[in-house]
Amino acid sequence: MTDNGEAGRPGRGKVLVVGMDGVRFDLLTRSRPPAEGTPAPPPLPPSSPAPVLRGLMAAGAYGSGLLPYGEMDGQAEGGPSTSMAYTDSGPGWSSVLTGVWPDRHGVTGNDFVGADYAAHPDFLSRAAAARPGLRTVAVVSWPELIDRGALGPGIGERVRYDGESDGYASADRLVADAAVRRLTEDDPDLLFVYFGATDEAGHATGPLSPAYDRALLAQDAHLGRLLHALTARADEHWTILITTDHGHLDTGGHGGDTRAEREVFVVLAELGTTGDLAPSRTTLLDSPALIDIAPTVLDRLGVPVDPVWGLAGRVLPRPVTSCFPLPTSEWS
C-alpha cells in the first residue's frame, strides 16, 4: 500500500468511481449490428458509441469478466450451476461497494433482503473510518443505494436523486451537476457517482436500440464533465474507475445466466499532478471483477486493508506508461 501524504495536501491520491448501470461491454468495444429491417449504417468511428469512455479505455486500462452468479432462467447456456444471486443491480452494486460477493454481503436481488452491510460496509465508509480526515462523497440517481444502506451513514456526504420517480435522464443530469459542483467548489478525496439511464433504456427497448444509444451518450457526456472538472484541479493525482453492475439481453432485461447478462467491465485511468491524464499505453486488465474496485480504491487512497475485513478482490495495477498522445479533446 502506498501513502501519498495527508488528506487534502498536493500529491495526495484521490479517487473517482463512476457506476453506469446496465452497460453492455461488447457495445463499447465493437460496432453494433443495425436494427432488424433497417439498412446498415456506415462504420462507427473508433470512439463510438461513447467517446469519453472510449478515450479513457485508450489512455488507461480496461478489461471484462463474468459475474459468478445469476439465476437460471431457461435461456442460458454454460451459466453457473449454483448461483448466489440474480444478475441485478442490488447484488451488483453491493459487490462493487463492499468488495465481497453476494454470499458474503447477503444481497441476492433488488429487494436487498439479507443485506449485511454492518459486517461488509462500502469502501467509502471504510476509508472514512480508517482516515477520518478523508472527504468522502456519494451522488446517486438510484435512491435504493442510500435508502437500503449500500452507501452507509459513515460517508461524509450522500446526495440522493430519485430516478425511479423523476426518470433517470433527469436524475442523472442532477447527479452530474452535483458531482461537478463538489469537484469545482469543494475538495473531495473520494467520490462515487452513479448513473442509471442506460439500464432504464435497456429494460424499455433493449441495448441495441436508439434509445439505449442516446442514454449511453448522455452518460458519456456527464462523464466528460466530471473529467473536465478533474483536469482543472492542480497538483492532485486522481485514479478514475468506471464500472457496471450487469449487462442486458439483446431484447432487454437481466437476472439470468447468459454471458450478455453476466459480463461486466472495469475501466481504469490515472490523472497526474499536471492536470492531464497520465500518458499510457492501453493496458488490458486480466479479468477484472466487481470486487476488485474496493481494494483498488483503498490502495490508491493509501488506506491499508485490514485482513479482518475479508475483502475478496485484488488491487488492480496502474496502467503502463508510454509516450502515446492522449485524446483529451474528446473529454470536455
Side-chain angles (χ1 to χ4, degrees), residues 71 131 142 162 180 212-213 215-216 219 238 260 305 320:
E71 292 292 337
R131 296 281 175 80
W142 189 32
D162 194 342
V180 168
Y212 188 89
D213 282 347
L216 179 56
Q219 287 181 180
W238 283 83
V305 172
V320 178

Side-chain angles (χ1 to χ4, degrees), residues 23-55:
V23 173
R24 278 264 297 261
F25 176 71
D26 62 322
L27 301 184
L28 299 175
T29 55
R30 70 172 188 236
S31 300
R32 66 188 65 194
E36 186 175 356
T38 63
L44 291 170
S47 59
S48 291
V52 177
L53 190 51
R54 286 291 295 265

Side-chain angles (χ1 to χ4, degrees), residues 119-138:
H120 304 286
D122 63 90
F123 58 73
L124 296 96
S125 296
R126 286 204 186 277
R131 296 281 175 80
L134 289 176
R135 288 166 287 273
T136 54
V137 182

